[in-house]
Amino acid sequence: MRDLPVIDGLQYGNWSERIFRQMREGHVMAVHVTICYHENFRETVANIGTWNRRFAQFPDLIVPARSAVDIDEAIAGKRTAIIFGSQNCSVIEDSIDLVQICRDLGICFMQLTYNNQSLLGGGCFEACDSGITRMGREVIREMNRVGMVIDMSHSGQHSTLQAIELSDRPIAITHANPFSWHPAPRNKSTTVMRALADSGGMLGFSLYPHHLKNGSRCTLADFCGMIAETVDIMGIDHVGFGSDLCQDQPDSVVSWMRNGRWTLMDKGSEATFPNQPTWFRDNRAFGGILEGLRDLGFTQVELEKIAHGNWLRFFRDSFGAIGS
Amino acid sequence: MRDLPVIDGLQYGNWSERIFRQMREGHVMAVHVTICYHENFRETVANIGTWNRRFAQFPDLIVPARSAVDIDEAIAGKRTAIIFGSQNCSVIEDSIDLVQICRDLGICFMQLTYNNQSLLGGGCFEACDSGITRMGREVIREMNRVGMVIDMSHSGQHSTLQAIELSDRPIAITHANPFSWHPAPRNKSTTVMRALADSGGMLGFSLYPHHLKNGSRCTLADFCGMIAETVDIMGIDHVGFGSDLCQDQPDSVVSWMRNGRWTLMDKGSEATFPNQPTWFRDNRAFGGILEGLRDLGFTQVELEKIAHGNWLRFFRDSFGAIGS
């Protein structure tokens, strides 16, 4: 169980050789990494430039992946495939033309909103959810065309349900848990989870303490029980990991994530990263969760689906352009 | 009546010496000019640079105005005061810091939305109006502080009513007409007009054909009758002109205004400028409207308020920073 390959649907570490080596030790074969929270296009391109330096520096540990083939090659070569994603649509600024440009630069996921209202839809912390906007409808069509996955992790419920309906291809909620288990604004209702599964989409289970019952004190047994309950709702083929692991990040990053440039005030009294649960501190800890699930009665086939199979199938179906 | 001074609450001409001379002939003492539809900060700064060249080229005709004092001096010097405004919040991009920067550069008006959903609020062509967003609430407070007028001409009704309520200072709808007179999405309900007047705000009457009953064939008598009816609703102290005159602009400008960079499709089957009514083709035609109003029974004092007095009072009250 400890050597079952793993795919993680979201991380935002303070990247280092140490983390990349832990990915290899933890049998993490592919990770969707965040390259944008509030950055505009030019700033995101700079972040890609920084990643290109990492790929050049650690070619024996990580490789960039823009397609399912790239991921297969990374796995064959015993490197961790790094898949770029943006947690916000700030990267395309006000321009639908930037969707294809971003996809060409390797961005495979884009959230339509990050907590707040965006040009495309409503965020989960807005009092009123606009739903998908005029521009949002066109951007969804364009993301479908170029093979960029719509991610609604930080969106409001109305926008999320509309995105599922408007998108011709399955969408993802890369990192969130059921609201019924832990009622945080970021977690998702049973209605959303059912619609997501019915449309062929994917949910990645988050290990960020604010998304966990009892926060940092959440137990492994509670977390595994939540997965079992979610599988009862969504089925075994539509769930995976999306740890939201922000390993080694300084607290200043929380301030950027929450406040961006949109407010003069510091939002949230606790602009610090919460402590991770003791049983999930880094990329070597997925095996422990899989053992916990096995102890609950999950079969080997089911564990393989959760650990990597479902994400791998979703990537294969999602990353190609229409007509390619 | 033909030489009563006039202030126009909005124009977007293809600026030239000819237009500036017509302003002087028409006794137009101040004009709020649009310097941004969808432009980002840098692009808007370039537009200001172009205006600076015009100010240098035609110092006997136009002067920049950033304050009520500047307007008084322009009037005394027999120049037309040019007041900058943005029809969208694209100019501040995602940054609340840019509100003060833009005000320091002379931008005295900013619309929170232009037809579509923005980061600040809902546009009048969206199916669902988000109201004022989290960022919008903070930007309104900041605009109040620095003395930048909130303009809701192209916003949805819910957002407009919320902006009136959230703003500590009166706001403007610089260019629109009553929806009851001509039911275009851009025109305003009686509810909005009453709330605007009750809060000390201003409505500028538009002469853009899409905002007029019978479009380009609208008669002067119809237009003057609409003003009289609006005064019955809003009172004589809260109305002025906001002609939305787009003189000498090529049709390509309509495409930019409507489509920006947010759509791959051409929006609207008629991406051309409509013909102006025969009685309002340029800046020399305000006198004819004032004569029409006089014929309806408006007094000299009332005509002076509509022609320039109300806008002048509003500018004096609005353009100063809080505490300055």
Side-chain angles (χ1 to χ4, degrees):
Chain A
M1 199 53 46
R2 288 274 171 188
D3 57 4
L4 201 58
V6 166
I7 292 180
D8 194 359
L10 195 109
Q11 290 190 27
Y12 181 63
N14 187 5
W15 307 109
S16 64
E17 180 174 357
R18 189 170 82 98
I19 294 177
F20 300 143
R21 289 203 180 280
Q22 289 172 347
M23 286 177 179
R24 299 310 308 153
E25 286 180 57
H27 306 281
V28 177
M29 59 205 275
V31 182
H32 164 207
V33 303
T34 292
I35 61 165
C36 169
Y37 279 101
H38 300 287
E39 288 90 334
N40 65 17
F41 178 73
R42 181 63 184 88
E43 292 165 333
T44 305
V45 167
N47 294 341
I48 294 175
T50 303
W51 266 109
N52 285 341
R53 291 171 191 240
R54 293 187 189 112
F55 295 132
Q57 196 175 357
F58 306 112
D60 53 330
L61 298 175
I62 54 171
V63 290
R66 303 173 173 214
S67 66
V69 170
D70 287 347
I71 295 168
D72 289 340
E73 289 180 359
I75 294 167
K78 298 189 188 310
R79 271 75 171 163
T80 298
I82 300 293
I83 305 159
F84 292 156
S86 174
Q87 294 221 22
N88 202 344
C89 63
S90 56
V91 62
I92 66 164
E93 301 182 3
D94 64 351
S95 171
I96 195 167
D97 291 333
L98 289 182
V99 175
Q100 183 174 342
I101 302 284
C102 286
R103 186 62 189 82
D104 289 346
L105 290 172
I107 297 178
C108 296
F109 288 85
M110 184 172 81
Q111 288 195 46
L112 301 194
T113 74
Y114 184 79
N115 297 345
N116 282 12
Q117 178 71 50
S118 77
L119 297 181
L120 310 183
C124 63
F125 286 108
E126 291 286 356
C128 175
D129 182 348
S130 68
I132 302 299
T133 67
R134 296 175 94 198
M135 182 177 181
R137 286 161 191 267
E138 304 216 9
V139 167
I140 285 175
R141 198 178 301 120
E142 181 68 351
M143 290 174 75
N144 283 167
R145 186 181 73 80
V146 303
M148 185 188 285
V149 175
I150 293 154
D151 183 355
M152 298 302 277
S153 295
H154 287 254
S155 299
Q157 169 153 317
H158 177 45
S159 291
T160 304
L161 292 171
Q162 278 199 323
I164 290 169
E165 190 173 328
L166 289 165
S167 178
D168 288 335
R169 305 177 79 167
I171 76 160
I173 293 175
T174 57
H175 55 304
N177 295 324
F179 187 87
S180 60
W181 180 64
H182 177 61
R186 271 277 284 102
N187 282 338
K188 304 304 173 190
S189 72
T190 305
T191 305
V192 164
M193 293 192 301
R194 278 195 218 281
L196 185 67
D198 287 349
S199 60
M202 277 290 293
L203 174 70
F205 294 114
S206 170
L207 288 135
Y208 193 66
H210 295 327
H211 310 155
L212 300 177
K213 187 198 283 189
N214 301 316
S216 303
R217 299 186 312 283
C218 181
T219 66
L220 176 59
D222 260 356
F223 187 76
C224 291
M226 176 275 290
I227 291 180
E229 286 168 24
T230 308
V231 167
D232 286 342
I233 294 166
M234 297 185 64
I236 190 64
D237 293 318
H238 301 286
V239 297
F241 294 121
S243 71
D244 207 5
L245 183 65
C246 297
Q247 194 178 341
D248 298 340
Q249 290 286 14
D251 288 337
S252 58
V253 166
V254 178
S255 185
W256 170 242
M257 286 159 60
R258 289 195 188 167
N259 302 324
R261 289 178 277 249
W262 64 274
T263 174
L264 290 169
M265 294 174 287
D266 196 26
K267 292 294 174 188
S269 53
E270 33 161 355
T272 58
F273 277 107
N275 291 324
Q276 285 295 127
T278 52
W279 45 271
F280 193 83
R281 290 266 165 87
D282 61 47
N283 280 278
R284 296 168 299 186
F286 288 102
I289 299 172
L290 293 167
E291 286 178 347
L293 293 173
R294 184 197 56 198
D295 294 345
L296 282 181
F298 279 87
T299 67
Q300 179 72 14
V301 168
E302 289 171 333
L303 293 173
E304 286 175 2
K305 286 185 175 188
I306 294 172
H308 62 266
N310 289 336
W311 273 128
L312 206 54
R313 180 200 71 239
F314 185 83
F315 294 167
R316 285 191 219 285
D317 293 345
S318 299
F319 292 167
I322 297 285
S324 73
Chain B
M1 199 52 49
R2 289 274 172 188
D3 56 5
L4 201 58
V6 166
I7 292 179
D8 194 0
L10 195 109
Q11 289 191 27
Y12 181 64
N14 188 3
W15 307 109
S16 65
E17 180 174 357
R18 189 169 84 97
I19 293 178
F20 299 143
R21 291 205 179 279
Q22 289 172 349
M23 286 177 178
R24 300 309 309 151
E25 286 181 57
H27 305 280
V28 177
M29 59 205 275
V31 182
H32 164 207
V33 303
T34 292
I35 62 165
C36 168
Y37 280 101
H38 300 287
E39 288 90 335
N40 65 18
F41 178 73
R42 181 64 185 87
E43 291 165 335
T44 305
V45 166
N47 293 342
I48 294 175
T50 303
W51 266 109
N52 285 341
R53 292 171 190 242
R54 293 188 189 112
F55 294 132
Q57 195 175 359
F58 306 111
D60 54 330
L61 298 175
I62 53 171
V63 291
R66 300 173 175 214
S67 66
V69 170
D70 288 347
I71 295 168
D72 290 340
E73 288 180 358
I75 293 167
K78 298 190 189 308
R79 271 75 171 164
T80 298
I82 300 294
I83 304 158
F84 292 155
S86 175
Q87 295 221 22
N88 202 343
C89 63
S90 57
V91 63
I92 65 164
E93 302 181 0
D94 64 351
S95 171
I96 195 166
D97 291 333
L98 289 182
V99 175
Q100 182 173 342
I101 302 284
C102 285
R103 185 64 188 81
D104 289 345
L105 291 172
I107 298 178
C108 296
F109 289 86
M110 184 173 81
Q111 289 195 45
L112 301 194
T113 74
Y114 184 79
N115 297 345
N116 282 12
Q117 177 72 49
S118 77
L119 297 182
L120 310 183
C124 63
F125 287 108
E126 291 286 357
C128 174
D129 182 349
S130 67
I132 303 298
T133 66
R134 297 175 92 197
M135 182 177 180
R137 287 162 190 266
E138 304 216 9
V139 167
I140 284 175
R141 197 178 302 121
E142 180 68 351
M143 291 174 74
N144 283 168
R145 186 180 73 79
V146 303
M148 185 187 286
V149 175
I150 293 153
D151 183 354
M152 298 302 276
S153 296
H154 286 255
S155 299
Q157 168 153 319
H158 177 44
S159 291
T160 304
L161 293 172
Q162 278 198 323
I164 291 169
E165 190 174 328
L166 289 165
S167 178
D168 288 334
R169 306 178 77 167
I171 77 158
I173 293 174
T174 58
H175 55 305
N177 295 323
F179 187 87
S180 60
W181 180 65
H182 177 61
R186 271 277 285 102
N187 283 338
K188 304 304 173 190
S189 72
T190 304
T191 305
V192 163
M193 294 192 301
R194 279 196 218 281
L196 185 67
D198 288 349
S199 60
M202 277 290 292
L203 174 70
F205 293 115
S206 169
L207 288 136
Y208 193 66
H210 294 328
H211 310 155
L212 300 177
K213 188 200 281 189
N214 300 316
S216 304
R217 298 186 313 283
C218 181
T219 66
L220 177 59
D222 260 356
F223 187 76
C224 292
M226 176 275 289
I227 291 180
E229 287 169 24
T230 308
V231 168
D232 287 342
I233 294 166
M234 295 185 66
I236 191 64
D237 293 318
H238 301 286
V239 297
F241 294 121
S243 71
D244 206 4
L245 183 64
C246 297
Q247 195 177 340
D248 299 339
Q249 290 286 15
D251 289 337
S252 58
V253 167
V254 179
S255 185
W256 170 242
M257 287 158 61
R258 289 195 188 168
N259 301 325
R261 288 178 279 249
W262 64 273
T263 173
L264 290 169
M265 293 173 286
D266 197 26
K267 291 294 174 188
S269 53
E270 31 160 358
T272 59
F273 277 107
N275 291 324
Q276 285 295 125
T278 53
W279 46 271
F280 193 84
R281 291 266 166 86
D282 60 47
N283 279 278
R284 297 168 300 185
F286 288 103
I289 299 172
L290 294 166
E291 285 179 348
L293 293 173
R294 183 197 56 197
D295 294 345
L296 281 182
F298 281 86
T299 67
Q300 181 71 16
V301 168
E302 290 172 332
L303 293 173
E304 287 174 1
K305 286 184 174 188
I306 294 172
H308 61 266
N310 289 336
W311 274 128
L312 207 53
R313 181 201 69 240
F314 185 83
F315 294 167
R316 285 192 219 285
D317 293 344
S318 300
F319 292 167
I322 297 285
S324 73

